[in-house]
């Protein structure tokens, strides 16, 4: 019985509907569907935490569904009884029936194809039909078998098994089509505009090419199994088109589906398993659309390359041996709302591949969730990337991704890893609960703006081995060790970031780290705001560093660097602590309201303090001890609770050109056996002395102005022995110079005048050498030598003092007139 084209198409559609509704329904997937995953919250929508406790806790990794292992079943094929039912229905509509036992209209399919009318229907009964040479379909026809494993078409020869030229429409169902010999070409080959519809077939074991090769033709395949090809399960090329639904493609060597040279394919609700190359490979300007498929155990789940395009949405990729997805060679892919897990890499992009990866879940991959390398690019936005073994996102070897508003958390080693000349732009991501939030090394150079890096187990940012990059307006907080850690040649630029509430330091720079930190706010960290360690040399400028639990900055172990134009205040220890041969340049900072000294230099610390304002610190503006030797030049040091500068315990140093005033004790207190050079300072209006030098101190005081201090301009005691030359000492509240308790020293060519008591007062075993000074207009005596005072006084000009020029009480000084 011959059917019209309309009747035949209607019957075939009903057959497909029956298969779809019954035997070929896709098995239920036990994993969570992608559509059920809540949209990740964008970083920009995160509320500003007012305190550390306000930071939302990350969801635990244990709540993540376990990855589904690679399937080994062929569960998409129907039960035999379903095929039997459908085959009986086909026999009733058939033009010809073929059976090997001769009970049908013919024993051979070849005879049936010759006899059947155009657009006819052939029902092929159970049995194996062998074709030693190529079988050519020369007319539009429908072939219906009793089901894979029952109706078997097996092809020999070394050419194509089944060739389908442009004969109109061909429909195949319920067949098993396989190769019997080592063919050199594809098992099925369609070309020249034919339309082929396949439903409920098993096609496999092509030994020399693809199972199905589509060339300038169209295939619609559903509810079938395609497996074991030496190359691709399905090859779509030269503007061929494929629509594939609810089909299992497995154990093909090159790919489950290969699309190339302008071919177009749509694959939905299918399973692509254990294909050695890729589940789907699209290359050479091919195009694919992939929806709601499962890719398990392939080399790559999907590979997109050579100028091709892909839309990939709602799929699941797991346990693929090379990676979930690969985009390369200028391939373009739109990858959305997929679950990608338990692969070595979730998404890999190389060689100018440019995907858009949006709203996916990438987790528990054994290397990285996303890997961009070798010139790969792409945009990665609003994904949830977590629990990967190495990194959430990795950029290396010239990879340059754009990573925006993702949630990157709970990765075993690092949230974002940029290394080996990797680049990239990272914006408004939430990066938390990783070992390190962001790692840069080996020439990596990202740009990161507006990210949140918090509760990482070690550091928010770790830069090492020439890792660099630019970080702007990021927030680093509540990380286990440091907000930022820079070491071993790391050299990032940090600008306008907030770094606070970290478990140790805000910024740790050590072991040769560098870096440029500017305009950041660094506060409330558990140790110091910035820790600069051995051989490190950062540039730190324009930052506000306050309220850290220890120092604002701690520079030690030979650390260097430039600390310039920062505001350093309200730290419970010192504003800056310098020790252990460290030698930073501290320039034009404002250092105030710290709980100890503004700058504390000790244990061999060095460095230069220039043009800073140090005030209102609880101890001294600058404190130096234990063989430290800083240069303190042209600073303004005032209103500190103890001394302006306090040098003791064998501290040394150069103190030149400073303004030192209104400190609560002395402007300078020098109590050290170390050698000091104090020159050209203006020391005035301190609550006690201008300079108090005692404790066997020595050194030179030259060219200073010591005035308007309530006690003495200069007090020398306890065996101190300085050289005091060419200073102007005037208008002090007691004597200009007060020497006592064994104090010594050489006072040469100083101008001492207008002090409230005497110009020079000597007592209690003091023994100075006073020569060529001008001592005038003091309200009491020019020289006042108490009992037990001594010294040598020669060639001084003493005039216009209120009482006596020289007053001596029960002492025997040596006085040599002019």
């Amino acid at each position: 019985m011959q059917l019209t084209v309309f009747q035949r198409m209607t019957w075939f559609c009903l057959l497909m509907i029956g298969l779809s509704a019954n035997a070929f329904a896709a098995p239920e997937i036990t994993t969570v569907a992608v559509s059920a995953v809540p949209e990740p919250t964008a970083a920009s929508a995160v509320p500003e935490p007012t305190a550390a406790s306000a930071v939302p806790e990350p969801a635990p990794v244990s709540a993540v569904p376990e990855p589904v292992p690679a399937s080994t079943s062929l569960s998409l094929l129907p039960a035999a009884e379903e095929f039997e039912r459908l085959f009986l229905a086909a026999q009733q509509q058939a033009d010809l029936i073929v059976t090997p036992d001769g009970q049908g209209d013919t024993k051979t399919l070849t005879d049936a194809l010759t006899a059947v009318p155009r657009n006819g229907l052939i029902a092929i009964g159970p049995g194996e039909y062998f074709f030693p040479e190529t079988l050519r379909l020369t007319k539009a026809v429908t072939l219906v078998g009793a089901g894979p494993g029952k109706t078997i078409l097996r092809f020999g020869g070394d050419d194509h098994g089944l060739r389908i030229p442009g004969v109109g429409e061909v429909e195949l169902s319920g067949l098993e089509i396989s190769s019997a010999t080592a063919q050199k070409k594809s098992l099925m080959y369609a070309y020249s505009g034919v339309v082929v519809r396949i439903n409920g077939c098993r096609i496999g074991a092509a030994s020399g090419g693809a199972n199905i090769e589509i060339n300038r033709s169209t295939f619609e395949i559903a509810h079938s199994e395609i497996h074991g090809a030496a190359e691709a399960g399905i090859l779509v090329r030269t503007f061929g088109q494929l629509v594939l639904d609810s089909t299992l493609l497995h154990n093909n060597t090159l790919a489950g589906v290969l699309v190339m040279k302008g071919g177009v394919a749509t694959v939905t609700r299918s399973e692509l398993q254990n294909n050695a190359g890729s589940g789907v490979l699209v290359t050479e300007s091919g195009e694919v659309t992939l929806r709601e498929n499962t890719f398990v155990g392939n080399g790559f789940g999907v590979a997109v390359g050579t100028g091709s395009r892909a839309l990939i949405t709602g799929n699941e990729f797991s346990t693929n041996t090379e990676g979930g997805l690969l985009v390369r060679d200028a391939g373009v892919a739109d990858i959305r709302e997929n679950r990608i897990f338990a692969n070595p890499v979730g998404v890999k992009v190389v060689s100018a591949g440019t995907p858009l990866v949006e709203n996916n879940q990438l987790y528990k991959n054994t290397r990285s969730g996303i890997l961009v390398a070798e010139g790969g690019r792409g945009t990665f936005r609003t994904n949830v990337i977590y629990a990967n073994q190495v990194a959430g996102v990795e950029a290396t070897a010239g990879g340059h991704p754009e990573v925006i508003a993702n949630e990157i958390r709970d990765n075993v080693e690092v949230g974002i890893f940029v290394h080996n000349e990797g680049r990239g732009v990272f914006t408004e991501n939430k990066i938390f609960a990783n070992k390190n939030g962001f790692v840069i090394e080996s020439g990596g150079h990202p740009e990161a703006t507006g990210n949140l890096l918090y509760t990482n187990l070690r550091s928010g940012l770790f830069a090492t081995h020439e890792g660099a990059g630019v970080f702007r307006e990021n927030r680093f907080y509540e990380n286990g060790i440091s907000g930022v850690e820079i070491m071993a040649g790391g050299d990032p630029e940090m600008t306008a970031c907030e770094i606070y509430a970290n478990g140790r330091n805000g910024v740790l720079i050590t072991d040769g780290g560098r870096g440029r930190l500017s305009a950041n706010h660094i506060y409330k960290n558990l140790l110091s705001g910035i820790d600069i360690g051995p051989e490190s040399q950062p540039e730190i400028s324009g930052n506000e560093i306050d309220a850290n639990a220890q120092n604002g900055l701690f520079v030690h172990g030979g650390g260097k660097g430039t600390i310039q134009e920062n505001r350093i205040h309200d730290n419970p220890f010192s504003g800056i602590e310098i020790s252990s041969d460290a030698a930073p340049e501290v320039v034009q900072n404002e250092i105030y309201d710290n709980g100890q000294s503004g700058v504390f230099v000790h244990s061999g610390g060095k460095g230069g303090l220039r043009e800073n304002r140090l005030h209102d610190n609880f101890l001294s503006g600058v404190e130096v001890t234990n063989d430290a030797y800083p240069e303190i030049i042209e600073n303004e040091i005032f209103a500190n609770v103890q001394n302006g500068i306090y040098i003791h315990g064998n501290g040394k140093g150069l103190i030149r050109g400073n303004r030192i005033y209104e400190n609560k004790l002395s402007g300078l207190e020098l109590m050290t056996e170390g050698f000091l050079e104090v020159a050209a300072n203006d020391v005035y209006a301190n609550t006690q002395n201008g300079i108090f030098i005692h404790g066997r101190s020595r050194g030179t005081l030259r060219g200073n102005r010591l005035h308007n201090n309530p006690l003495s301009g200069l007090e020398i005691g306890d065996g101190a022995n300085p050289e005091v030359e060419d200073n102007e000492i005037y208008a002090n509240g007691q004597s200009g110079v007060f020497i006592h308790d064994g104090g010594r020293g050489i006072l040469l060519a100083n101008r001492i005048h207008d002090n409230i008591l005497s110009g020079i007062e000597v007592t209690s075993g003091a023994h100075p050498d006073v020569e060529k000074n001008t001592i005038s207009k003091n309200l009491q005596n020019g020289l006042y030598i108490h009992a037990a005072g001594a010294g040598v006084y020669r060639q001084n000009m003493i005039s216009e003092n209120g009482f006596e020029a020289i007053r001596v009480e029960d002492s025997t000084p040596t006085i040599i007139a002019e």
Side-chain angles (χ1 to χ4, degrees):
M1 178 185 67
Q2 183 173 358
L3 304 179
T4 66
V5 173
F6 176 78
Q7 288 172 325
R8 188 171 61 84
M9 291 181 65
T10 302
W11 177 87
F12 194 77
C13 290
L14 291 172
L15 176 63
M16 293 182 70
I17 292 169
L19 291 171
S20 176
N22 295 282
F24 292 94
E28 181 179 353
I29 297 173
T30 57
T31 52
V32 178
V34 174
S35 60
V37 176
E39 290 291 319
T41 303
S44 59
V46 176
E48 292 289 320
T50 56
S53 61
V55 178
E57 287 295 319
V61 178
S62 59
V64 176
E66 286 297 317
V68 176
S71 173
T72 58
S73 70
L74 304 180
S75 57
L76 289 180
L77 288 178
E81 54 269 22
E82 294 296 331
F83 276 114
E84 183 176 353
R85 181 179 62 81
L86 294 168
F87 181 65
L88 290 173
Q91 286 180 310
Q92 296 174 7
Q93 303 291 330
D95 292 286
L96 293 170
I97 299 173
V98 179
T99 60
D101 58 9
Q103 295 184 11
D105 298 310
T106 179
K107 290 183 178 182
T108 69
L109 179 59
T110 303
D111 290 342
L113 288 171
T114 301
V116 74
R118 185 176 179 83
N119 299 314
L121 169 62
I122 300 174
I124 309 172
E128 181 174 314
Y129 302 82
F130 178 70
F131 303 90
E133 302 294 338
T134 299
L135 176 65
R136 299 173 184 270
L137 299 185
T138 58
K139 62 184 73 171
V141 68
T142 296
L143 306 180
V144 180
K150 289 191 175 182
T151 301
I152 302 169
L153 310 185
R154 195 177 303 279
F155 294 90
D158 59 2
D159 202 337
H160 299 294
L162 179 63
R163 289 176 67 96
I164 310 174
V167 294
E169 298 181 0
V170 172
E171 296 162 355
L172 311 175
S173 67
L175 301 170
E176 181 168 327
I177 302 172
S178 65
S179 175
T181 60
Q183 293 169 310
K184 296 180 181 178
K185 297 183 179 180
S186 301
L187 178 58
M188 296 177 61
Y189 178 50
Y191 56 99
S192 299
V194 67
V195 176
V196 180
R197 297 183 178 90
I198 297 176
N199 203 328
C201 294
R202 178 185 293 157
I203 303 169
S207 56
N211 284 326
I212 300 172
E213 183 177 347
I214 305 169
N215 179 4
R216 298 181 186 273
S217 299
T218 299
F219 266 60
E220 298 174 7
I221 303 174
H223 306 293
S224 295
E225 178 190 342
I226 300 170
H227 68 96
E231 293 184 359
I234 302 173
L235 168 60
V236 188
R237 67 178 181 89
T238 319
F239 306 105
Q241 297 188 49
L242 169 66
V243 178
L244 183 73
D245 182 71
S246 302
T247 292
L248 174 65
L249 297 101
H250 67 96
N251 294 98
N252 300 288
T253 300
L254 179 59
V257 177
L258 169 58
V259 184
M260 60 188 297
K261 295 183 179 179
V264 178
T266 299
V267 181
T268 56
R269 295 185 294 273
S270 296
E271 295 185 15
L272 297 98
Q273 299 180 8
N274 302 321
N275 299 287
S278 302
V280 172
L281 170 60
V282 53
T283 186
E284 298 180 33
S285 302
E287 293 189 18
V288 298
T289 298
L290 309 174
R291 291 190 176 94
E292 300 179 25
N293 304 287
T294 301
F295 296 84
V296 176
N298 308 285
F300 282 99
V302 174
V304 182
T306 319
S308 298
R309 305 181 69 86
L311 172 62
I312 304 168
T313 180
N315 304 279
E316 185 172 292
F317 298 82
S318 68
T319 64
N320 298 286
T321 59
E322 297 293 328
L325 298 99
L326 171 66
V327 185
R328 61 176 303 160
D329 299 330
V332 177
D334 192 340
I335 302 169
R336 299 173 187 265
E337 298 179 358
N338 303 281
R339 294 178 68 233
I340 306 168
F341 59 93
N343 309 283
V345 175
V347 176
K348 182 176 181 179
V349 185
V350 297
S351 306
T354 312
L356 170 63
V357 181
E358 188 171 51
N359 291 338
N360 302 278
Q361 286 197 39
L362 302 103
Y363 63 97
K364 290 192 175 180
N365 297 288
T366 57
R367 178 172 173 175
S368 300
I370 294 168
L371 171 62
V372 185
E374 301 170 15
R377 302 183 72 86
T379 299
F380 303 82
R381 186 165 52 213
T382 58
N383 303 284
V384 181
I385 307 168
Y386 59 102
N388 299 286
Q389 286 294 311
V390 176
V393 178
E394 181 177 357
T396 184
H400 199 303
E402 185 177 9
V403 180
I404 304 170
N406 301 279
E407 182 176 304
I408 304 171
R409 61 176 173 86
D410 294 295
N411 297 286
V412 175
E413 291 296 327
V414 57
I416 297 174
F417 184 26
V418 184
H419 63 107
N420 191 27
E421 305 298 328
R423 296 290 188 269
V425 177
F426 301 84
T427 307
E428 295 183 358
N429 301 284
K430 291 175 63 182
I431 306 165
F432 62 95
N434 309 284
K435 182 177 179 181
N436 287 292
F438 210 125
V439 171
I440 314 168
E441 64 177 41
S442 305
H445 199 292
E447 297 180 16
T449 304
N451 301 283
L452 303 180
L453 299 101
Y454 62 97
T455 65
N456 296 288
L457 300 180
R458 181 168 177 168
S459 299
L461 167 65
F462 182 67
T464 185
H465 294 104
E466 312 307 319
V470 178
F471 287 75
R472 297 185 181 92
E473 299 177 3
N474 303 282
R475 293 171 60 206
F476 301 83
Y477 59 96
E478 290 190 352
N479 297 288
I481 296 181
S482 300
V484 176
E485 185 173 353
I486 304 170
M487 63 182 298
D491 192 17
E493 180 179 332
M494 313 288 300
T495 303
C497 297
E498 274 192 83
I499 306 171
Y500 64 95
N502 295 288
R504 294 188 186 176
N505 302 290
V507 180
L508 172 62
I509 308 170
T510 189
D511 297 331
R514 298 192 297 275
R516 293 170 301 284
L517 280 68
S518 61
N520 303 288
H521 190 189
I522 304 170
Y523 63 101
K524 292 185 179 178
N525 298 287
L526 192 61
L527 297 182
S528 297
I530 301 177
D531 185 313
I532 303 173
E535 307 304 322
S536 298
Q537 194 162 346
E539 298 176 13
I540 299 172
S541 63
N543 303 281
E544 183 164 4
I545 305 169
D546 66 285
N548 298 286
Q550 292 190 1
N551 302 290
L553 294 96
F554 179 33
V555 191
H556 58 99
K560 296 181 176 65
T562 301
I563 303 168
Q564 186 168 2
E565 296 181 353
N566 303 282
R567 294 176 65 232
I568 306 167
H569 62 96
D570 290 289
N571 301 286
F573 286 16
S574 298
I576 301 176
E577 180 177 347
I578 303 170
S579 74
S580 309
D581 297 315
E585 291 296 317
V586 181
V587 182
Q588 295 178 345
N589 302 279
E590 185 164 7
I591 304 171
Y592 63 97
D593 284 328
N594 296 288
Q596 295 184 8
S597 295
V599 177
F600 178 35
V601 191
H602 65 98
S603 305
K606 301 179 181 66
L609 279 65
R610 293 178 173 81
E611 301 178 24
N612 302 283
R613 297 179 76 239
L614 301 105
H615 61 94
D616 293 287
N617 298 288
F618 192 74
L619 297 182
S620 300
V622 179
E623 181 178 354
V624 182
T625 188
N626 294 343
D627 294 305
Y629 195 119
E631 296 182 355
I632 305 170
I633 299 173
E634 296 183 0
N635 301 280
E636 187 175 358
I637 304 172
F638 63 97
N640 296 287
V641 175
Q642 293 190 5
N643 302 289
I645 299 174
Y646 179 35
I647 301 182
H648 61 103
N650 206 39
K652 308 174 183 68
L654 167 63
I655 304 170
R656 178 186 298 162
N658 302 282
R659 288 178 62 212
I660 306 170
Y661 62 95
E662 295 181 1
N663 299 286
K664 298 298 188 256
L665 296 181
S666 297
L668 285 80
E669 181 174 354
L670 312 176
M671 187 177 68
T672 176
E673 295 186 21
F675 187 85
L676 297 167
E677 182 178 345
V678 181
N681 300 284
D682 191 3
V683 185
Y684 63 95
N686 298 285
T687 303
Q688 293 188 3
N689 302 289
I691 298 177
F692 179 27
I693 178 166
H694 59 112
R696 302 181 66 180
S697 297
R698 55 195 180 88
T700 64
L701 280 66
R702 182 178 291 110
N704 301 286
R705 295 173 67 234
L706 313 178
H707 60 97
N708 295 97
N709 300 286
L711 297 184
S712 298
L714 171 62
E715 180 177 347
I716 303 172
D718 298 330
N721 189 20
E723 296 179 10
V724 182
E725 181 178 354
D726 194 28
N727 300 280
E728 185 172 9
I729 304 170
Y730 64 97
N732 295 287
Q734 294 187 4
S735 297
V737 179
F738 178 41
I739 309 172
H740 61 94
D741 293 320
R744 302 181 65 82
I746 298 171
L747 277 67
L748 176 65
N750 300 285
R751 297 176 305 285
I752 305 168
H753 61 91
D754 292 291
N755 298 286
I756 297 297
L757 298 182
S758 300
I760 299 174
E761 183 175 355
V762 181
T763 186
S764 304
H767 196 293
D769 189 341
V770 181
E771 181 176 354
K772 296 182 180 178
N773 299 280
T774 300
I775 304 170
S776 62
K777 298 182 180 179
N778 299 287
L779 294 186
Q780 291 190 6
N781 306 290
L783 288 172
Y784 182 16
I785 304 169
H786 289 259
V792 176
Y793 305 85
R794 62 171 66 89
Q795 297 182 359
N796 298 288
M797 295 180 63
I798 305 172
S799 62
E800 300 183 57
N801 297 286
F803 290 0
E804 301 177 46
I806 301 174
R807 180 177 177 179
V808 179
E809 294 182 350
D810 296 328
S811 61
T812 56
T814 300
I815 300 175
I816 302 173
E818 297 183 27

